[in-house]
Amino acid sequence: MTGPVPLAVVQAIAPSTTVTVRDAVVDLMRRFGMTSVFANPGSTELPMFRDFPSDFRYILGLQEASVVGMADGYAQATRNASFVNLHSAAGVGNAMGNIFTAHKNRTPMVITAGQQARPILPFDPFLSSAQATELPKPYVKWSIEPARAQDVPLAIARAYYLAMMPPRGPVLVSVPVDDWDQPAELVPGKVVSTELRPQPAVLQQIGDALDASDRPALVVGAAVDRDNAWNDIVALAEAHNARVFAAPMSGRCSFPEDHRLFAGFLPAMRERIVELLRGHDLILAVGAPAFTYHVEGAGPHIPAGARLCQLTEDPDTAAWAPVGISAVGSIRQGVVDLLARPGRKERPLPPARVAAPRVEPSPLMSAAFALQTLAEVRKPEDIVVEEAPSARPVMQAYLPMTRSETFYTMDSGGLGYGMPAAVGVALGKPGSRVICLVGDGSSMYSIQALWSAAQLRLPITFVILNNSRYAALQDFAPVFGFSATDVVQGTELPDIDFPSLAKGMGCAARRVSDAGELRDVLAHALDSRAPNVVEVRIA
């Protein structure tokens, strides 16, 4: 599946048949192409799934954060909103970390949450959600508990359109348990445009600045790949001989990392961004904020003598950009319009990025050697879903992504996304081999996803880089005044037996400590076409 089913589909229920809220919602889900339901069941959701349609599938997650992570990966892989069902306040609360990530990832997602029956809501009943619409805010685009049962189908239709409207994101509809059997009407089909072209006058200013520059640089973010603009951004960079940097904390790969014009990755630090962009007289951020920061900084946001322009699908991002010109609208349409301009300036090729030196094996295996080996075993079309924060700079040096839609991570920085997202991506791209690259600490946030992968027999290789610690926190501690000899409390993770955990959930598993064994173990896991866990012990 690559998108929603056309809305002109014939209604599945004859007009003479008595239609319930459940019937009307199922009809909508079928027409929107949302026939995979990602869920963890609770009592207030059971009536929704009575007489479950034979053309639908129920994807069970063992915890709500895993459910939303799977739905996120699936929605990104299929480019259509996913459908999620959660259990009242407790389920939404458990899921909030990955709802936040879906919000940051701009992932379209229709979430329904169960609610107690309407007649007992005034008595604050057990398992009710007292403020159902407020609970997920501000990390959903819209939330509602319809005033009447008959309003539920229209609310879900509106939720779908809003989820798919740029900037995309999750929405939530709270549905009381007694609504599903109430009479309702089918929702008429309609077409809603979700592609907005950037304002021509503003785009012309950006194009004029780009054409006039001597040393332009592009900073590309996740929205380039989300909006199917990969080939267009490559063409724009080549047309202007512009160096291309990946934006800080980007959740997708949006430019081939082996390309002659690729210059590397910007960190989330103001001073370092300015240093790396020094020498460029125009900086065009495409599909990314300008810029995402992680620590407090000082000084200018761009180098002296440079001009900042931005093309974004998000008006909020344009509003907080500190300087420059911002065009808001479809990334792909904006880049296509910039490519259509005539008379480009001739520029020499900028300096090439220096390749990372080859790593040799050592008694205590390094993350660099592990990822270099994975890069040699992996095929370019294999998909990587990553959640290994401390190893990310190493990954960026030794595991290049070279094709569109082959890399996914979280824009949020919140853990617990990677393992379930890999399940969702594998479901959304059947036939593709998926590699989930995850740290030992990260893996424990949503380890339940291994069970779903095993039950669904998905071709996922979970590579757990185990350094027995929260290395990202230890590495980050000096920023907050820790000395090299200080103990960072709560960051040691000894004695986790990942092969035993994996086998207990139905996945084959191996632990590798010897660098000489790693290549064969990874190759076997990738070729097995079944879920495998490879725990790699690293220094």
Side-chain angles (χ1 to χ4, degrees), residues 255-274:
F255 197 84
E257 293 169 12
D258 60 348
H259 194 283
R260 173 66 176 76
L261 292 171
F262 186 66
F265 300 83
L266 296 181
M269 302 172 66
R270 186 191 303 191
E271 294 88 346
R272 284 285 291 136
I273 290 172
V274 171

Side-chain angles (χ1 to χ4, degrees), residues 252 383 431 507:
R252 301 276 285 263
I383 298 169
C507 289

Side-chain angles (χ1 to χ4, degrees), residues 384-389 392 395 407-410 417-418 435 437:
V384 175
V385 181
E386 178 266 333
E387 192 177 292
R392 189 169 299 155
M395 179 195 72
F407 178 74
Y408 301 86
T409 188
M410 69 291 189
Y417 164 83
I435 301 163
L437 180 65

